[in-house]
Amino acid sequence: MKLPFVLPTSTVSRNALVCLAVVATGAALYWLRDILTPLAMAIFLLIMIDGVKRWIEEKTPLPRRFAGAAALALVVLGFFASIAIIIDGAAGFFGQASGVSTSIGPRIDQIIADVAGLFGITTPPTAQDLLNGVDVRGYIGAAAVQAQGIASGAFFVLVYLGFLIASQSGFRRKIVAMFPDRKGRDEALEVFQRVRGGVEGYLWVQTVTGAMICVVAWILMRAVGLQNAEFWTFVIFVVGFIPVLGGAVAGLAPPLFALVQFESYWPAAILLIGLQIILFVVGNLIQPRMQGDNQNIDPVVVLLSLALWGKMWGVVGMFLSTPLAVMAMAILAEFKGSRWMAILLSGDGEPYAEPRNSTSEKDAGKSRDVPPRRGRGKASPGGS
């Protein structure tokens, strides 16, 4: 008879404490979401500002003391411009929709009739019949509350960002005070560099690939004559930072709007096929090559992180889900007790590149008949 596998009491107790700590932390994050979501966005913007600052220092003759101010101005202006584009585009969309309301209703009825005819239904319901069972006022009220929350959230993000920038000057002194030993301080800074590199690498990849998708999408929408093509292009770029759901919105929203705008189904079909092709090419051929070492995250972890953070923090959580997963993996990999979790989160079982003690660890790996790691180099400003 095979004896059962017995874990040491200390291991069981430690794992139980870890589970309880994870549950308690998740409850605190959910309970404090109104406070933490603008802070998380502010930290995200601060990392962007730091990356833009270093890019300006390297690529332009601008003096170093002015690079930070220029980076801050660019990111803040981009932040406000994004909000303005969304508000202006949404206002234009609804204004045009109300202006052609006499044709939208019959067009939706025609689409329903055509679809029903494919299934042999002779008396299909109208759009009004379908809307009678829907609480339209409730949805409009919920949308208004969300819009108000976005406006107030943007204000608090900027407030947090200002205080974070002001506290940057004392960051190095705090690190020295927390880690008097030089070795411990170097290790802490290395973890910070790795986290920053992973987030910046993710931002770079998503920005470049999103721009590729937007160029092709704008050309397609302009070619078929879709209204508000610029607004839809910007929406596609923004939702591209949300994994899984972003691709679905980018590939389906413009074709659905084209169904209502045009009497023919061909513009919608062209948009649907064209967008799906570019999303497939970028998502399966270009993006994996660009990601490389910047986002060594298991796809299942990306999906679970999207669901988890979306449940706790809503749209902001969805937007930050992948950067938060990258940060968690980099931090967990630094501690012996939590490294196994970082390995599970990683895509290839190597949560980060060459270990600090590369020679000794490789020798130890050979003695245990473990294949050596593939060196990806240490974190850099452009990737982890």
Side-chain angles (χ1 to χ4, degrees):
M1 178 179 179
K2 183 179 179 181
L3 295 177
F5 180 72
V6 180
L7 288 173
T9 306
S10 59
T11 303
V12 176
S13 302
R14 184 184 63 188
N15 292 340
L17 287 175
V18 170
C19 292
L20 290 175
V22 170
V23 173
T25 303
L29 290 173
Y30 179 77
W31 185 50
L32 299 173
R33 61 189 181 277
D34 293 336
I35 300 174
L36 295 178
T37 49
L39 176 60
M41 280 298 300
I43 295 174
F44 190 70
L45 290 177
L46 185 65
I47 294 176
M48 291 179 61
I49 292 171
D50 187 63
V52 174
K53 174 187 173 182
R54 284 182 282 110
W55 182 86
I56 291 175
E57 291 175 355
E58 295 174 2
K59 304 295 183 181
T60 66
L62 192 69
R64 184 173 183 179
R65 61 180 179 273
F66 297 127
L72 175 62
L74 285 175
V75 173
V76 172
L77 287 176
F79 183 71
F80 276 113
S82 301
I83 297 175
I85 291 174
I86 292 175
I87 294 175
D88 182 69
F93 170 76
F94 286 112
Q96 290 182 6
S98 60
V100 294
S101 57
T102 55
S103 61
I104 285 181
R107 178 57 185 159
I108 295 177
D109 291 338
Q110 182 62 43
I111 294 173
I112 295 174
D114 292 341
V115 174
L118 296 175
F119 297 95
I121 301 175
T122 56
T123 56
T126 62
Q128 186 63 41
D129 295 335
L130 297 176
L131 291 177
N132 286 335
V134 179
D135 185 12
V136 179
R137 290 186 177 180
Y139 286 111
I140 294 176
V145 171
Q146 290 291 333
Q148 183 180 4
I150 291 173
S152 61
F155 171 76
F156 282 111
V157 166
L158 294 178
V159 171
Y160 278 123
L161 180 61
F163 279 94
L164 287 172
I165 293 174
S167 65
Q168 264 190 313
S169 58
F171 177 73
R172 183 166 292 276
R173 291 194 297 270
K174 293 178 183 178
I175 290 292
V176 173
M178 291 173 61
F179 302 95
D181 180 61
R182 184 178 182 84
K183 181 179 179 182
R185 184 164 62 249
D186 291 341
E187 290 180 355
L189 290 174
E190 185 178 347
V191 174
F192 172 75
Q193 295 285 350
R194 186 173 294 114
V195 170
R196 184 183 69 179
V199 175
E200 289 181 358
Y202 168 76
L203 283 174
W204 169 252
V205 171
Q206 295 300 117
T207 301
V208 173
T209 55
M212 294 178 183
I213 295 173
C214 286
V215 169
V216 178
W218 182 81
I219 293 174
L220 285 174
M221 289 185 286
R222 275 294 186 181
V224 301
L226 188 70
Q227 296 175 353
N228 288 318
E230 289 74 19
F231 169 69
W232 288 115
T233 302
F234 184 77
V235 169
I236 291 173
F237 179 78
V238 172
V239 299
F241 288 88
I242 302 177
V244 184
L245 293 179
V249 173
L252 295 178
L256 288 176
F257 182 72
L259 280 176
V260 177
Q261 178 183 338
F262 301 103
E263 295 184 0
S264 172
Y265 293 108
W266 283 110
I270 293 172
L271 284 178
L272 180 63
I273 296 173
L275 290 175
Q276 293 302 323
I277 290 175
I278 184 60
L279 287 171
F280 177 83
V281 171
V282 172
N284 293 276
L285 299 178
I286 300 176
Q287 197 172 52
R289 293 178 179 272
M290 293 186 62
Q291 282 175 350
D293 307 326
N294 292 327
Q295 190 183 340
N296 182 28
I297 295 288
D298 191 280
V300 177
V301 173
V302 173
L303 185 61
L304 291 177
S305 179
L306 173 68
L308 175 64
W309 290 106
K311 178 66 176 178
M312 290 197 300
W313 287 359
V315 177
V316 175
M318 294 180 182
F319 184 80
L320 297 176
S321 60
T322 302
L324 288 171
V326 172
M327 294 170 63
M329 183 183 68
I331 294 172
L332 291 172
E334 290 299 316
F335 303 96
K336 184 178 180 181
S338 60
R339 181 171 168 78
W340 63 272
M341 289 187 282
I343 292 174
L344 292 177
L345 293 177
S346 65
D348 58 3
E350 300 177 10
Y352 54 68
E354 290 271 339
R356 286 180 297 275
N357 259 341
S358 59
T359 304
S360 60
E361 187 161 334
K362 282 183 181 179
D363 294 339
K366 290 178 181 178
S367 64
R368 294 191 303 268
D369 293 327
V370 178
R373 301 180 179 207
R374 297 191 305 273
R376 290 191 296 266
K378 292 185 178 181
S380 62
S384 60

